[in-house]
């Protein structure tokens, strides 16, 4: 499966409403997307995290570059900073493992 771990930090506190707007729509889109195996979110140390598992990289990219999620990406740099890490795996990581991998290998945005 293809794993995606992300962490977003708000640039300013007032962007919470923007985050909620895009997060709700993106989550709804993901739940209906082809190939989604698992979707989880958490907040740690002021960072909003997502952990998704997909049947394939192409399924994840079809979600990423369409609909509500594509619109969220277009405004990302105005409101957030963060990291993303994606990789192939035979199993879904725990949150502790996923966040460790994100810290060690994540690409900064």
């Amino acid at each position: 499966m293809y794993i995606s771990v992300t962490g977003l930090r708000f640039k300013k506190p007032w962007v919470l409403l923007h985050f909620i707007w895009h997060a709700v729509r993106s989550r709804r889109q993901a739940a209906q997307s082809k190939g989604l195996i698992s979707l989880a979110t958490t907040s740690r140390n002021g960072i909003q995290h997502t952990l998704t598992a997909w049947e394939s990289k192409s399924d994840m990219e079809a979600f990423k570059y369409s609909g509500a999620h594509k619109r969220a990406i277009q405004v990302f740099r105005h409101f957030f900073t963060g990291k993303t890490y994606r990789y192939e795996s035979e199993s879904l990581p725990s949150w502790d493992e996923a966040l460790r991998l994100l810290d060690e290998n994540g690409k900064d945005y």
Side-chain angles (χ1 to χ4, degrees):
M1 74 183 98
Y2 196 72
I3 307 295
S4 176
V5 187
T6 63
L8 300 177
R9 182 182 302 275
F10 304 149
K11 286 184 176 179
K12 303 286 183 182
W14 58 266
V15 303
L16 176 62
L17 294 176
H18 289 283
F19 172 78
I20 292 170
W21 174 265
H22 290 287
V24 167
R25 283 155 184 75
S26 294
R27 186 179 183 103
R28 187 178 306 135
Q29 176 191 349
Q32 298 171 353
S33 293
K34 175 185 177 290
L36 180 70
I37 297 170
S38 177
L39 167 62
T41 60
T42 192
S43 179
R44 292 192 184 177
N45 301 320
I47 301 172
Q48 308 303 312
H49 295 282
T50 62
L51 172 59
T52 56
W54 301 86
E55 290 179 13
S56 69
K57 181 178 180 179
S58 61
D59 287 337
M60 187 277 302
E61 288 180 340
F63 158 74
K64 180 181 175 182
Y65 296 116
S66 66
H69 193 267
K70 179 180 179 180
R71 289 188 292 280
I73 290 172
Q74 292 169 339
V75 301
F76 172 84
R77 293 186 196 275
H78 298 289
F79 302 115
F80 310 103
T81 61
K83 284 186 174 186
T84 301
Y85 181 58
R86 296 179 190 95
Y87 64 100
E88 297 278 345
S89 178
E90 294 294 320
S91 61
L92 189 63
S94 67
W95 270 114
D96 288 338
E97 181 183 0
L99 296 180
R100 179 185 58 77
L101 289 169
L102 180 64
D103 285 340
E104 292 174 358
N105 306 302
K107 179 181 175 184
D108 288 320
Y109 288 96

